Amino acid sequence: MATLILVRHGRSTANTEGVLAGRMPGVHLDARGAAQAAALPGRLAGVPLAAAVSSPLERCRETLGPLLDARPELVLETDERIGECDYGDWSGRKLAELSDEPLMEVVQHHPSAVAFPGGESMRAMQARAVEAVRDWNARVEAAHGEGAVYLMCSHGDIVKSLVADALGMHLDLFQRLHVEPCSVTAVRYTRTRPFLLRLGDTGDLSSFVPGDDRAETRSEERGQAVVGGGAGAP
């Protein structure tokens, strides 16, 4: 099946202001976030992308702007299922202020039990994102073959929840994961299991360029784990 490259959006004005933006409109990349987005085409140079899918929110679409400019043949699709968690009444509030809320302790240690006041549950957030990935895996494979690579630009909690699903982790453990702004997380899906290839990577992505015939790549494409861990990137 397909390989999914998950990009968290670049650093936003809400990130620098310490605000939980949620689905608020009008949250854009800050100067550093724009620079991170500008570097993305170079980081993905040579990686063939069969599709690009984005959360509807501005900060994700802005993150993919330079990549789309560099690849005019790539048509951007939007999918609300990979949009930010609906934090409800928490949206727009300072994180420092929210740290005193009793619910925050549950968010940190038992997220599967959390439903944000006026918003959605974290279980529902994960379920819709996983459903979106399953749908896009099937669509991309049907149109471009089993070796296709496609990209989604989404949000930190969405990326972490998708990684938890790929690893077979309970949602209550997903806070142990961390993804930087504009970092790349990659999951290769096979018929028997997913493989987590990158997590929160902010560096070179050349190992996704076609032509890699290493034994571990061939094994993973067959859905087999590499005994001993493999040799890594050349």
Side-chain angles (χ1 to χ4, degrees):
M1 295 179 70
T3 295
L4 169 61
I5 293 181
L6 280 164
V7 178
R8 183 188 170 197
H9 63 77
R11 196 175 76 174
S12 72
T13 53
N15 295 146
T16 50
E17 293 167 2
V19 169
L20 185 64
R23 297 180 178 180
M24 292 170 50
V27 176
H28 300 279
L29 300 183
D30 69 3
R32 181 174 176 181
Q36 291 168 336
L40 193 59
R43 294 174 63 205
L44 289 168
V47 180
L49 296 175
V53 188
S54 177
S55 157
L57 293 171
E58 294 100 323
R59 53 196 184 272
C60 289
R61 297 173 68 88
E62 290 172 3
T63 297
L64 294 187
L67 179 65
L68 296 171
D69 289 343
R71 302 194 189 195
E73 76 285 357
L74 199 59
V75 177
L76 182 64
E77 306 271 1
T78 59
D79 193 323
E80 293 185 356
R81 296 174 297 178
I82 61 167
E84 180 64 285
C85 183
D86 184 356
Y87 297 113
D89 298 343
W90 280 26
S91 301
R93 294 177 61 187
K94 291 279 190 180
L95 289 166
E97 172 190 329
L98 289 170
S99 66
D100 295 328
E101 292 279 354
L103 184 61
M104 182 59 84
E105 186 175 4
V106 188
V107 170
Q108 293 298 318
H109 301 290
H110 192 17
S112 67
V114 169
F116 292 98
E120 71 177 329
S121 70
M122 300 196 88
R123 293 188 314 279
M125 173 199 74
Q126 182 185 45
R128 61 175 166 82
V130 169
E131 178 185 49
V133 168
R134 297 289 187 267
D135 285 351
W136 279 99
N137 282 350
R139 290 174 62 176
V140 168
E141 181 180 357
H144 301 279
E146 291 189 354
V149 180
Y150 73 106
L151 179 147
M152 281 184 168
C153 185
S154 189
H155 308 268
D157 279 350
I158 297 291
V159 173
K160 294 195 306 181
S161 71
L162 289 169
V163 171
D165 172 75
L167 292 177
M169 290 172 54
H170 196 285
L171 184 61
D172 285 346
L173 301 179
F174 99 131
Q175 298 291 25
R176 301 183 183 194
L177 303 170
H178 178 72
V179 290
E180 292 281 330
C182 218
S183 64
V184 166
T185 294
V187 182
R188 177 177 293 135
Y189 289 88
T190 76
R191 300 194 184 282
T192 55
R193 76 188 82 183
F195 290 92
L196 180 64
L197 305 180
R198 299 286 177 94
L199 175 63
D201 195 321
T202 57
D204 177 68
L205 299 170
S206 60
S207 64
F208 293 105
V209 176
D212 185 357
D213 60 355
R214 290 172 295 139
E216 54 262 40
T217 299
R218 296 195 301 272
S219 294
E220 288 170 354
E221 288 173 349
R222 295 193 299 268
Q224 300 172 353
V226 182
V227 177

